[in-house]
């Protein structure tokens, strides 16, 4: 008998989300390679097909359609593929040391050309050497032999369970370099620590994709800010030409909104990836080594300012959008008030014209009454003459004179009645 209501359709997948993408264990000595590839959405299917072909060639089950991660053995190397929001990553682990540092890396164990032909563009690539504590060289030898004499950043990680070193540079082979010294790691701990170190670099690069956008936008924002300041001064001085000023403000608003729509996704992603970098660094649980910058300190001095620049440019764009909107609203209000004054003057002029037309109409009506009376008096005169000719004792002049007031009243009444009907029809 079922004890629970029906499951939420996403219950199982959401429950398993915290267990997704587990770290692969690696014991010292060992090697690892990591490649993060920026993949367009329309290349996702081709990416799965490319990975599926490799799996089938090595007797492995291909990932299911829509899969976001896969792990398995490819020859002598353990391959883990993960699909992230905008990029995909390939992690390769090899349980064997190398006599020559970073020679014969784990990525070289894949079939020739397979990794190079993977869909997308390389975002980050790195090799890692996992050394046993007794095999670890001194710091000067490590810097010279493993990092070609480049300045090294490093610290104790995992609360002292290991040491991590990197120069955060791209070497001639196109890969970065990491060295992890095992001072008490379990294989799973070492695998997790390598994954964090690789992800710090991948997320750092994803966050910094917004930096070139910020650099391109900064000069244009300065021009817009100066133009907006000039327009605001013109509004304050009330020098006229409000329609032209409103047109310029509309153009600036369109330019700012266009920049916002084109850049805000990248700036938002920068904030999210920068937070992931900080989270991964905190998970390292670093302890400072004498004479070396820690990874947290290095990122704080180099990476954080770039992220702050992106955040500043993003905020400037939002501020500009608000300032342009406020200036546009202010100028629109002033233009509306001016138009209201014009409309009031126009209505007053129309009222005056209507009164003049009314007076003219009344004058015309008076003339019309006079003309009607004149013609009707003429008709009355003809009637009187006709009656006299028939023998009626009528004085024509007297008859016409007496009929004029009566005819005037009748004509005036007829004109008023016609005007009243016209008004009723207009109202209807």
């Amino acid at each position: 008998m079922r004890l629970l209501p029906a499951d939420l359709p996403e219950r199982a997948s959401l429950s398993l989300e915290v267990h997704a993408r587990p770290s692969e264990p690696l014991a010292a000595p060992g090697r690892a390679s990591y490649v993060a590839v920026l993949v367009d959405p329309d290349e996702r299917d081709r990416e799965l097909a490319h990975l599926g072909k490799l799996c089938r060639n090595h007797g492995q089950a291909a990932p299911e359609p829509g899969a976001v991660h896969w792990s398995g053995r490819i020859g002598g190397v353990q391959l883990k593929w993960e699909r992230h929001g905008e990029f995909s990553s390939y992690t390769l682990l090899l349980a064997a040391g190398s006599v020559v540092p970073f020679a014969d890396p784990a990525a070289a164990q894949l079939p020739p050309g397979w990794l190079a032909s993977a869909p997308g563009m390389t975002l980050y690539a790195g090799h890692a050497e996992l050394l046993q504590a007794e095999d670890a060289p001194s710091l000067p030898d490590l810097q010279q032999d493993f990092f070609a004499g480049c300045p090294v950043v490093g610290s104790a990680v995992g609360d002292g369970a290991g040491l991590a070193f990197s120069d955060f540079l791209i070497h001639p082979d196109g890969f970065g370099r990491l060295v992890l010294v095992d001072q008490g790691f379990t294989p799973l701990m070492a695998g997790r620590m390598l994954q964090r170190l690789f992800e710090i670099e991948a997320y750092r690069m994803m966050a910094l994709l917004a930096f070139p956008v910020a650099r391109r936008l900064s000069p244009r924002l300065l021009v817009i800010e100066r133009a907006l300041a000039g327009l605001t001064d013109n509004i304050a001085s009330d020098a006229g030409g409000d329609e032209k000023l409103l047109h310029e403000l509309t153009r600036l608003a369109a330019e700012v909104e266009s920049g916002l729509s084109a850049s805000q996704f990248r700036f938002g992603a920068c904030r999210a990836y920068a937070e992931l970098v900080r989270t991964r660094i905190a998970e390292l649980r670093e302890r400072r080594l004498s004479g070396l910058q820690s990874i947290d300190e290095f990122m704080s001095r180099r990476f954080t300012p770039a992220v702050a620049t992106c955040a500043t440019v993003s905020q400037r764009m939002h501020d500009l959008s608000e300032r342009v909107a406020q200036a546009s609203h202010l100028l629109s209000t002033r233009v509306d008030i001016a138009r209201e004054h014009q409309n009031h003057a126009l209505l007053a002029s129309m009222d005056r014209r209507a009164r003049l037309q009314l007076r003219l109409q009344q004058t015309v009506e008076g003339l019309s009454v006079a003309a009607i009376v004149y013609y009707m008096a003429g008709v009355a005169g003809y009637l009187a003459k006709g009656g006299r000719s028939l023998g009626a004792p009528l004085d024509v002049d007297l008859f016409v004179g007496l009929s004029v007031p009566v005819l005037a009243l009748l004509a005036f009444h007829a004109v008023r009645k016609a005007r009243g009907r016209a008004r009723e029809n207009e109202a209807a």
Side-chain angles (χ1 to χ4, degrees), residues 14-329:
L14 293 177
S15 176
L16 293 174
E17 183 62 27
V18 294
H19 303 285
R21 300 187 176 103
S23 301
E24 297 289 338
L26 182 64
R31 285 171 285 170
S33 295
Y34 181 92
V35 178
V37 181
L38 199 62
V39 183
D40 290 333
D42 55 359
E43 290 187 310
R44 294 297 196 183
D45 292 339
R46 192 162 69 90
E47 178 187 39
L48 271 180
H50 187 68
L51 178 62
K53 182 178 179 181
L54 177 70
C55 296
R56 288 187 291 271
N57 290 342
H58 288 80
Q60 296 283 350
E64 298 291 332
V68 294
H69 60 89
W70 180 89
S71 178
R73 297 291 298 182
I74 301 296
V77 68
Q78 181 73 16
L79 171 63
K80 183 175 72 169
W81 167 80
E82 294 179 297
R83 176 176 290 175
H84 302 265
E86 295 183 81
F87 69 97
S88 297
S89 64
Y90 301 89
T91 305
L92 299 107
L93 303 176
L94 187 61
S98 175
V99 177
V100 180
F102 298 106
D104 194 22
Q109 307 302 312
L110 292 174
W114 182 87
L115 190 57
S117 60
M121 302 181 69
T122 301
L123 177 74
Y124 167 74
H127 294 315
E129 293 279 354
L130 177 60
L131 307 178
Q132 294 175 324
E134 57 270 20
D135 297 331
S138 62
L139 182 59
D141 291 339
L142 181 94
Q143 182 174 348
Q144 187 62 42
D145 297 340
F146 286 78
F147 299 100
C150 297
V152 172
V153 174
S155 61
V157 294
D159 294 328
L163 304 176
F165 303 95
S166 179
D167 56 3
F168 294 101
L169 295 174
I170 299 176
H171 288 263
D173 60 355
F175 285 79
R177 293 182 178 182
L178 288 169
V179 174
L180 190 62
V181 179
D182 182 1
Q183 292 184 329
F185 285 136
T186 65
L188 190 57
M189 288 175 61
R192 280 201 302 265
M193 197 61 64
L194 278 174
Q195 180 172 331
R196 288 167 185 159
L197 291 167
F198 283 137
E199 287 180 348
I200 286 172
E201 283 288 78
Y203 292 142
R204 176 176 71 97
M205 292 297 294
M206 287 301 301
L208 290 180
L209 287 179
F211 191 58
V213 178
R215 285 180 133 177
R216 288 196 302 269
L217 286 175
S218 291
R220 186 56 195 157
L221 290 180
L222 183 60
V223 173
I224 295 175
E225 287 170 343
R226 290 175 178 173
L228 179 59
L231 289 174
T232 306
D233 289 341
N234 289 336
I235 295 173
S237 64
D238 196 10
D242 289 348
E243 295 287 347
K244 182 179 179 182
L245 290 176
L246 190 58
H247 176 74
E248 284 297 314
L249 280 172
T250 303
R251 184 186 63 80
L252 285 181
E255 189 169 354
V256 172
E257 293 303 319
S258 175
L260 277 171
S261 62
S263 63
Q264 285 313 291
F265 171 75
R266 195 70 270 153
F267 287 144
C270 175
R271 290 191 294 270
Y273 286 122
E275 183 60 30
L276 286 173
V277 170
R278 287 188 284 268
T279 300
R280 293 297 185 271
I281 291 175
E283 291 172 352
L284 294 178
R285 306 191 304 280
E286 287 187 282
R287 293 180 183 174
R288 189 179 183 86
L289 295 178
S290 178
L292 287 181
Q293 275 188 324
S294 66
I295 296 174
D296 187 16
E297 183 181 1
F298 177 83
M299 290 296 176
S300 297
R301 298 187 62 177
R302 307 295 177 88
F303 171 67
T304 303
V307 173
T309 298
C310 297
T312 300
V313 171
S314 177
Q315 187 60 46
R316 281 175 65 190
M317 294 189 72
H318 283 290
D319 292 344
L320 262 178
S321 178
E322 293 179 1
R323 287 166 55 194
V324 170
Q326 290 173 356
S328 298
H329 179 69

